[in-house]
Amino acid sequence: MKKFLALAIAFCASSLLSAQVNFGIGARGYIGIPAGTTLHDDMFNSNYDVALFEGVGFGFSASAMIIQEGMKGLGVGLELGYAHNEVGWEYSRVKYNMKGKLSYSSFDIPLLVSYTFAKGNFRVAPQIGAYASIPIGDLSFDVERVESDDKLISEKTSNTDLDITSKFLFGGIGGVSIGYKVGNGLVNFDTRFMADFPALKIDNGKSGISVMTRRKLTFGLSYTHFF
């Protein structure tokens, strides 16, 4: 899969370099939900589950893109961004329940190939690619609510910071953007699905243990100015 993506991106880049192209720079912001994220048995037993809408992350990035003339057709884009990753979890056993969040920050660097279909000023562009992700700081493990026999015991958050041992993660990304041409720029709304291949690991004193494999659905808004 990684070799296929690398070959596809290289082919697209060489095709663009031999054609008339527009070069653009832009910025993007997004929110994300942990759709498909898995918690690993190394740290969590079967009583833990991902709580889909309890954790909502966000991110922003700068981007550079080359696309065929007229802001349509084949394009390749590179982004460099910051992400706050957040995953809600819930624990349930007999009549005892807990809820909380896992969160950490990362630098995410996607490389995307797209093909933009145009009708007037409107644009639709399927996207596919790969990304590198560099975790920064610690993994925050928060407990936010504890109940027993359906009675509230505590709503006071307790927090534990865990050392991340993963230095570098990577994954695949795909999505679609819908945009509108405004002068020399494009305003785009996009939705993407990102899936890490390796698991995020923390320090347990001897070697790293797997905590979770991040997968998330993002909804973004961006603007790219072309020259």
Side-chain angles (χ1 to χ4, degrees):
M1 182 65 178
K2 291 184 290 182
K3 290 182 179 179
F4 173 77
L5 286 173
L7 288 171
I9 291 169
F11 173 77
C12 292
S14 63
S15 298
L16 284 167
L17 290 173
S18 63
Q20 292 291 324
V21 297
N22 293 127
F23 171 75
I25 57 173
R28 174 179 181 257
Y30 69 85
I31 59 172
I33 57 175
T37 293
T38 53
L39 304 178
H40 287 276
D41 293 342
D42 287 359
M43 183 169 177
F44 300 100
N45 60 38
S46 60
N47 295 314
Y48 285 87
D49 288 305
V50 172
L52 184 60
F53 294 106
E54 296 293 330
V56 178
F58 63 87
F60 50 86
S61 61
S63 63
M65 183 178 186
I66 52 174
I67 190 172
Q68 289 180 306
E69 194 172 17
M71 302 180 210
K72 57 185 179 181
L74 194 62
V76 175
L78 178 67
E79 298 177 5
L80 174 61
Y82 166 86
H84 172 73
N85 307 285
E86 194 168 275
V87 178
W89 59 265
E90 55 187 3
Y91 174 93
S92 179
R93 183 178 180 184
V94 191
K95 295 183 179 180
Y96 186 75
N97 300 282
M98 292 191 301
K99 289 185 178 181
K101 291 186 178 71
L102 292 165
S103 60
Y104 75 99
S105 297
S106 62
F107 290 125
D108 289 351
I109 310 168
L111 181 61
L112 287 162
V113 175
S114 62
Y115 194 93
T116 300
F117 299 92
K119 186 172 180 60
N121 287 330
F122 287 96
R123 301 290 190 274
V124 176
Q127 304 169 319
I128 190 170
Y131 63 87
S133 181
I134 303 170
I136 51 177
D138 296 324
L139 175 70
S140 179
F141 179 80
D142 296 334
V143 180
E144 299 181 343
R145 184 179 180 89
V146 181
E147 297 177 350
S148 181
D149 290 325
D150 296 324
K151 294 180 180 179
L152 179 65
I153 296 176
S154 174
E155 277 190 309
K156 184 178 181 180
T157 298
S158 64
N159 171 265
T160 304
D161 289 331
L162 304 169
D163 293 331
I164 295 175
T165 59
S166 299
K167 304 300 182 185
F168 175 83
L169 301 173
F170 59 92
I173 182 171
V176 63
S177 71
I178 299 173
Y180 190 81
K181 182 176 177 292
V182 181
N184 291 325
L186 286 177
V187 177
N188 279 310
F189 169 79
D190 64 72
T191 181
R192 299 176 182 174
F193 181 72
M194 300 175 64
D196 286 356
F197 295 155
L200 182 75
K201 295 184 176 182
I202 62 167
D203 184 14
N204 69 343
K206 294 182 180 179
S207 60
I209 63 171
S210 298
V211 177
M212 66 178 181
T213 301
R214 179 185 63 162
R215 300 181 187 94
K216 65 180 181 180
L217 187 65
T218 68
F219 303 93
L221 183 65
S222 65
Y223 174 76
T224 305
H225 182 81
F226 289 93
F227 300 92

